[in-house]
């Protein structure tokens, strides 16, 4: 379940309370007059089943509480209450399948921020992957995939397309373009340094690499895997069960492709550099396309669910 804490102007509190009482899947309603000081108003709290949360939050925003008051939402790890269990039973659908659109937008907005930490993680991941491609070491490639933070902006771009949020789209594109550009540029310098100390060499890059040759040899499976990973990653972000995201991170060839392109460019291996760039773009396109379609499908599914429930509730 979710716990909602609402600060409401006095003149809107009765509307807020009635709205919560009418919403199927709510319980434990508490109202404290004049308890809020900044902003001033009444404090209203309740618990709501996750599958009913998005509808309630949207209705509260319609009352303007995000502008004149406050709406805070948090997950409840444990709730021992028969009323709470009844609320979950009464709410339509399954909580694990529910999408909290406001939470998704906020989360992807944060993950899509072009920060020093984001660029640092992406750069470190690309340099680790560079070591992996030169040494033909699959373990280093997997480690670089897990470290890379690029799925955040990709999910942000998919969310922006579905919600028509131009600012989020620009923020996500900026994080992707600038992040990968900086990471690859630093990796070029890193390659020159490693070559100077005889740890990297063109001979290693040109040698037969059975474990990592796929990075610069994109094919149909590259796109298929990227699409499947995009679906799984999006579901992990929108669902209450989010443990699959790490698996998604180590299944797509974005960071390794960027690393191989940077190393190959350093040694004037333009065939590998172009192949790696194709692999990178193919994976980025597949993830964004799959994420967007998945979100659209979820949006349609919950719209149909609401229509059925509202129709069932009519006399």
């Amino acid at each position: 379940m979710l716990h909602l804490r609402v600060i409401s102007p006095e003149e809107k509190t009765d509307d807020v309370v009635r709205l919560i009482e009418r919403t199927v899947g709510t319980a434990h309603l508490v109202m404290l007059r004049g308890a809020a000081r900044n902003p001033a108003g009444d404090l209203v709290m309740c618990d709501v089943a996750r599958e009913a949360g998005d509808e309630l939050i949207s209705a509260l925003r319609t009352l303007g509480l995000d502008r004149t008051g406050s709406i805070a939402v948090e997950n409840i790890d444990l709730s021992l209450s028969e009323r709470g269990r009844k609320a979950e039973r009464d709410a339509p659908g399954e909580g694990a399948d529910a999408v909290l659109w406001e939470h998704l937008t906020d989360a992807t907005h944060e993950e899509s921020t072009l920060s020093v930490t984001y660029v640092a993680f992406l750069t470190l991941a690309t340099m680790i992957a560079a070591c992996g491609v030169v040494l033909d070491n699959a373990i280093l490639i997997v480690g670089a995939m897990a470290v890379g933070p690029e799925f955040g902006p990709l999910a942000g771009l998919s969310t922006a397309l579905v919600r028509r949020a131009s600012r989020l789209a620009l923020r996500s594109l900026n994080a992707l373009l600038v992040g990968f550009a900086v990471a690859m540029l630093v990796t070029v310098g890193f390659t020159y340094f490693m070559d100077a100390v005889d740890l990297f060499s063109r001979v290693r890059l040109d040698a037969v690499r059975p474990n990592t040759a796929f990075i610069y040899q994109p094919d149909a499976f590259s796109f298929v895997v990227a699409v499947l990973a995009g679906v799984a990653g999006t579901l992990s972000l929108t669902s209450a069960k989010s443990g699959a995201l790490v698996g998604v991170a180590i299944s797509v060839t974005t960071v390794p492709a960027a690393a191989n392109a940077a190393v190959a460019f350093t040694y004037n291996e333009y065939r590998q550099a172009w192949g790696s760039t194709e692999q990178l773009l193919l994976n980025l396109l597949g993830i964004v396309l799959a994420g967007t379609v998945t979100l659209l499908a979820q949006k349609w599914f919950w719209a149909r669910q609401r229509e059925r429930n509202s129709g069932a509730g009519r006399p």
Side-chain angles (χ1 to χ4, degrees), residues 5-9 39 65-72:
R5 186 182 71 249
V6 177
I7 296 178
S8 170
L65 295 183
D66 54 327
R67 299 184 300 274
T68 59
S70 170
I71 306 171

Side-chain angles (χ1 to χ4, degrees), residues 3-215:
H3 179 68
L4 266 65
R5 186 182 71 249
V6 177
I7 296 178
S8 170
E10 182 179 354
E11 65 274 11
K12 294 186 178 182
T13 301
D14 290 339
D15 293 334
V16 172
V17 171
R18 282 194 294 268
L19 173 63
I20 294 173
E21 290 176 336
R22 289 198 309 265
T23 302
V24 177
T26 59
H28 313 141
L29 176 61
V30 176
M31 192 267 287
L32 301 174
R33 292 284 186 187
R37 291 292 179 267
N38 183 21
D42 303 325
L43 179 62
V44 182
M45 296 181 289
C46 74
D47 297 337
V48 58
R50 181 181 173 87
E51 51 269 43
D54 185 66
E55 183 177 1
L56 179 55
I57 294 170
S58 298
L60 291 171
R61 292 197 65 187
T62 301
L63 292 175
L65 295 183
D66 54 327
R67 299 184 300 274
T68 59
S70 170
I71 306 171
V73 185
E74 58 185 349
N75 286 305
I76 299 176
D77 294 327
L78 177 64
S79 178
L80 303 177
S81 166
E82 180 57 37
R83 288 182 178 272
R85 286 189 288 270
K86 183 179 183 302
E88 289 186 310
R89 289 194 301 267
D90 292 343
E94 294 293 333
D97 299 331
V99 181
L100 298 177
W101 290 101
E102 296 300 333
H103 177 269
L104 177 63
T105 302
D106 185 69
T108 52
H109 183 278
E110 182 178 349
E111 293 293 328
S112 302
T113 301
L114 183 63
S115 63
V116 173
T117 301
Y118 166 81
V119 174
F121 270 116
L122 188 56
T123 302
L124 290 169
T126 307
M127 289 193 291
I128 293 171
C131 295
V133 298
V134 172
L135 297 175
D136 193 35
N137 189 316
I139 295 177
L140 291 177
I141 296 298
V142 171
M145 289 175 174
V147 172
E150 73 281 5
F151 190 81
L154 291 171
L157 186 55
S158 296
T159 303
L161 292 174
V162 172
R163 305 213 72 188
R164 299 178 183 179
S166 57
R167 288 188 178 182
L168 179 58
L170 290 174
R171 178 185 290 265
S172 301
L173 281 173
N174 186 50
L176 284 171
L177 295 177
V178 176
F180 272 110
V182 172
M184 293 174 72
L185 184 61
V186 173
T187 301
V188 168
F190 176 69
T191 302
Y192 279 122
F193 170 78
M194 295 294 280
D195 183 79
V197 297
D198 293 327
L199 293 176
F200 280 10
S201 68
R202 182 168 185 162
V203 174
R204 283 177 177 266
L205 185 69
D206 291 338
V208 177
R209 289 157 47 194
N211 294 320
T212 58
F214 69 93
I215 294 173

Side-chain angles (χ1 to χ4, degrees), residues 17 92 108 131 193 210 219 236 239 250 267 280-281:
V17 171
T108 52
C131 295
F193 170 78
D219 55 19
S236 73
S239 171
I250 61 176
Y267 288 115
L280 174 62
L281 295 176

